[in-house]
Amino acid sequence: MALRRFARPLAALALLLCLDSIAASSGWRGTSRWGGRGLVGGKGAAPAPAPELVDADGAQSAADAKAAKAVQQQEWEAQRLKKSLTARAALDKLTDPRESDAVAAMLGGDGPEWGPKMPRGVEVYCPVLKLGRTNDPDGPNPSTFARALNTPYELRRMDWDSAMRDELASVFVSGVWWSGHAPATPVTMVTQATVDRLPQLRSQCRSWRGGLSVALYLALEQTDISSGKLSDANVRLLAKAAAHVHNFFLEIERNGTMCALDVMLVLEVFVEHKAMMLYPINVLRNLARLQARTPLVGLVDVDMLISHTFYDELVSSNALRGLLLSRAANGTAFVLPAFETYGSTEEAAALADHIVDGDKARLMVSVKSGQAGPFDTERFPQGHASTLFDKWYTAEGGPYHIEYGSRYEPWTIVDRVVAPWHDARFRGYGQNKIVHVAAMNASGFEFMVVAGEAFIVHRAHSHTTMRLRLVASKQLYDAARITRQPSDKTTIYGHTRELFDRAQEEMLAGTFRPTLDAATCAGLATLSWFSNVPGGGDNAKCPPTGGA
């Protein structure tokens, strides 16, 4: 382990010294995924063109002028490479897994610079930044999408007790950014995160070159909501968050080698600080799924990286695309085998990046050496045991069938319309994905594991204070059950476990239907890519019209 700890930094240092030497001696035009447009200079701008090379007094001969120009060009190239390496170092710092523990830290200060200039083809709707641009006013666009979801919104009291009574999140879509790059596969990966998790999202976007739909979340505290509007302080926070998202979107869009990113910024207002840990994970999953416009969606979390070779396989194989489309439309959930890497947080994150840049053979080298393995097998083995990893290791050809097991919680590819929706009552940590997979099983879904080059790898990161509190809540709940003491159902984990137990009873009785929030229901009713498709929300419960 000690050798592995130092091998990678030493190799990186040797590479940088080698590049520096090459640049200094030959004027090499080194390019990299980190040194392209959107990073050099640190403000999302393309690299400046080479300066004009002028013979100041006109006295040099043509040969001397040519030689001087070559020297000057070489110096410029060396300077350009130095900037590229500096940009890469800055990006490595941004993608370090030790992200900020609080959104407030990210939004401190004056906020980032931003500008309305955007690449060709992108579409944006963000009133707080006074941005609006669409390619098709009469078709699907960010403005109609946001307005549809915001139709039932009301600024209302949300505190801890309200959530424990299962009052659903009242969320507002404050900005939407859509990529100008058309995805080359029928699969859009769908995920969610808080706005301070952009480093993790960047890593995921680098691993998947297809469509990626994301709901980014901003929780705001405001004790006085009598005006029905955000306070001036919260408007400023929202504007800073939107500027961060805008800059991030432009960085990804200009890169050209990352995902085709569609992202929305979603806010929720709380009247007490304690309740801000009630992250509405399933609401956000549903909103991100609503934004997807391909036939299939991959239901993943933001800390999961997707293998590059799976994307290549999807693009090149008509047979694989056809199989996924036809089987998913008839109620099959395709499981993406999930792995994790070991070592310190930094080592594990770097190894995850390395593995997904390669293929299944590269993953298997790490598995056989003990540096990687199936996801979460020690802490929660039943969560992924049904995937049958030993079978996947040697599987060739198409997907294989598996049996659902209790408390199974894989990440899957499903039909965008046919699959059950996530239950909006589940907030925070615990049961939220398990109940969704159980609902698929209860509704007759078949589970198949995608063989070939399809796999995902967890990218290690430090846990937020919110996550640590929620884990502590679970530990207290589990301890009470083991000692047969009454469990506290007013904790977030205790409450979600009670919700899950009730849902299981309903599944056994054949009466379970996931509860949806008002924004999701409004989208299902009005968005053309859902409202015109039979079955879009037939098997879900929506709140009464006019309320959230």
Side-chain angles (χ1 to χ4, degrees):
M1 180 64 72
L3 290 176
R4 290 203 306 270
R5 186 185 300 270
F6 293 104
R8 192 173 292 109
L10 288 174
L13 177 60
L15 175 62
L16 293 181
L17 291 175
C18 179
L19 290 174
D20 194 289
S21 175
I22 293 172
S25 61
S26 64
W28 173 62
R29 290 179 176 270
T31 59
S32 72
R33 72 193 306 172
W34 293 275
R37 289 187 299 164
L39 289 175
V40 176
K43 294 185 180 180
E52 291 293 329
L53 303 172
V54 180
D55 183 357
D57 55 14
Q60 291 179 303
S61 66
D64 290 342
K66 184 176 181 180
K69 184 174 181 177
V71 171
Q72 204 166 359
Q73 183 73 16
Q74 182 176 347
E75 291 175 351
W76 178 79
E77 289 292 347
Q79 183 180 20
R80 182 176 181 272
L81 178 60
K82 182 178 180 181
K83 288 182 177 180
S84 177
L85 295 176
T86 300
R88 172 172 179 168
L91 180 60
D92 288 342
K93 183 177 180 181
L94 283 173
T95 56
D96 189 293
R98 296 167 294 183
E99 290 110 0
S100 170
D101 192 56
V103 175
M106 184 198 77
L107 299 181
D110 295 330
E113 296 183 10
W114 64 275
K117 187 175 181 180
M118 291 172 282
R120 180 178 299 177
V122 305
E123 299 182 86
V124 178
Y125 174 75
C126 186
V128 73
L129 297 183
K130 299 180 180 180
L131 293 175
R133 175 176 168 178
T134 182
N135 302 321
D136 185 3
D138 299 323
N141 63 68
S143 175
T144 57
F145 176 73
R147 293 174 188 274
L149 270 59
N150 290 337
T151 300
Y153 178 75
E154 59 176 333
L155 180 59
R156 57 182 175 78
R157 184 178 183 83
M158 176 55 71
D159 55 18
W160 188 273
D161 291 340
S162 300
M164 294 302 104
R165 293 192 299 269
D166 294 331
E167 292 186 17
L168 302 176
S170 181
V171 296
F172 185 84
V173 179
S174 56
V176 180
W177 294 256
W178 284 0
S179 173
H181 303 301
T185 79
V187 179
T188 296
M189 295 296 170
V190 171
T191 193
Q192 35 63 45
T194 51
V195 291
D196 58 326
R197 305 303 292 227
L198 294 182
Q200 287 291 89
L201 179 57
R202 180 184 286 106
S203 296
Q204 185 176 71
C205 200
R206 190 187 302 146
S207 75
W208 172 253
R209 286 165 287 160
L212 180 63
S213 175
V214 187
L216 289 175
Y217 179 71
L218 177 65
L220 298 172
E221 183 180 5
Q222 184 170 321
T223 56
D224 183 3
I225 60 172
S226 58
S227 66
K229 299 179 181 179
L230 290 181
S231 66
D232 291 344
N234 276 336
V235 170
R236 289 191 293 270
L237 279 175
L238 173 60
K240 288 181 180 181
H244 275 280
V245 175
H246 181 73
N247 283 348
F248 178 84
F249 171 79
L250 293 182
E251 173 199 327
I252 301 300
E253 187 70 11
R254 288 169 174 158
N255 182 277
T257 64
M258 295 189 183
C259 66
L261 180 65
D262 289 350
V263 58
M264 72 182 85
L265 178 60
V266 180
L267 68 84
E268 184 179 13
V269 177
F270 295 90
V271 298
E272 67 172 347
H273 186 76
K274 174 186 176 182
M276 294 177 72
M277 69 186 295
L278 298 172
Y279 180 65
I281 184 167
N282 278 356
V283 169
L284 298 172
R285 283 170 169 157
N286 288 339
L287 297 185
R289 178 175 161 186
L290 281 174
Q291 187 172 231
R293 300 175 299 285
T294 54
L296 304 175
V297 290
L299 307 177
V300 297
D301 289 325
V302 75
D303 50 6
M304 304 305 296
L305 307 182
I306 303 99
S307 59
H308 281 193
T309 47
F310 176 47
Y311 174 81
D312 295 336
E313 195 173 35
L314 274 175
V315 171
S316 62
S317 175
N318 291 329
L320 177 60
R321 292 196 305 274
L323 176 66
L324 294 178
L325 287 165
S326 61
R327 296 296 293 265
N330 288 286
T332 295
F334 289 94
V335 173
L336 294 169
F339 294 84
E340 62 183 356
T341 51
Y342 309 129
S344 69
T345 303
E346 290 80 6
E347 289 174 332
L351 181 57
D353 291 335
H354 172 72
I355 288 173
V356 298
D357 275 342
D359 55 10
K360 182 176 180 178
R362 179 180 290 186
L363 167 67
M364 292 308 301
V365 169
S366 294
V367 171
K368 292 176 181 178
S369 66
Q371 293 179 305
F375 183 77
D376 218 9
T377 52
E378 291 188 8
R379 187 190 66 86
F380 189 55
Q382 63 266 50
H384 294 269
S386 295
T387 300
L388 303 180
F389 288 95
D390 287 342
K391 183 172 183 176
W392 184 82
Y393 293 151
T394 58
E396 296 181 0
Y400 59 87
H401 174 80
I402 58 171
E403 295 295 331
Y404 170 82
S406 177
R407 302 189 68 72
Y408 189 37
E409 56 170 356
W411 290 275
T412 60
I413 293 175
V414 296
D415 186 279
R416 173 175 58 87
V417 176
V418 172
W421 292 83
H422 286 82
D423 195 308
R425 295 173 295 175
F426 287 80
R427 284 178 173 263
Y429 174 72
Q431 320 304 317
N432 48 74
K433 184 152 60 76
I434 292 177
V435 74
H436 181 252
V437 177
M440 285 196 283
N441 178 65
S443 59
F445 265 60
E446 178 184 13
F447 293 88
M448 300 187 76
V449 177
V450 187
E453 292 292 333
F455 63 89
I456 56 179
V457 182
H458 177 258
R459 189 176 194 273
H461 56 87
S462 57
H463 291 309
T464 62
T465 301
M466 179 187 300
R467 172 64 183 266
L468 294 174
R469 288 174 179 171
L470 294 171
V471 169
S473 170
K474 179 184 183 302
Q475 291 171 341
L476 289 173
Y477 180 88
D478 289 342
R481 288 181 68 114
I482 291 171
T483 58
R484 298 186 178 182
Q485 299 295 317
S487 56
D488 186 355
K489 296 179 181 179
T490 63
T491 65
I492 185 59
Y493 186 84
H495 182 68
T496 56
R497 187 55 190 261
E498 182 186 26
L499 279 176
F500 176 76
D501 291 343
R502 294 205 312 258
Q504 271 198 315
E505 293 175 0
E506 293 174 1
M507 290 177 200
L508 290 173
T511 60
F512 176 78
R513 293 169 65 204
T515 298
L516 304 184
D517 66 292
T520 300
C521 289
L524 286 172
T526 58
L527 296 175
S528 60
W529 56 99
F530 276 103
S531 61
N532 295 334
V533 180
D538 293 348
N539 295 316
K541 292 185 290 187
C542 287
T545 303

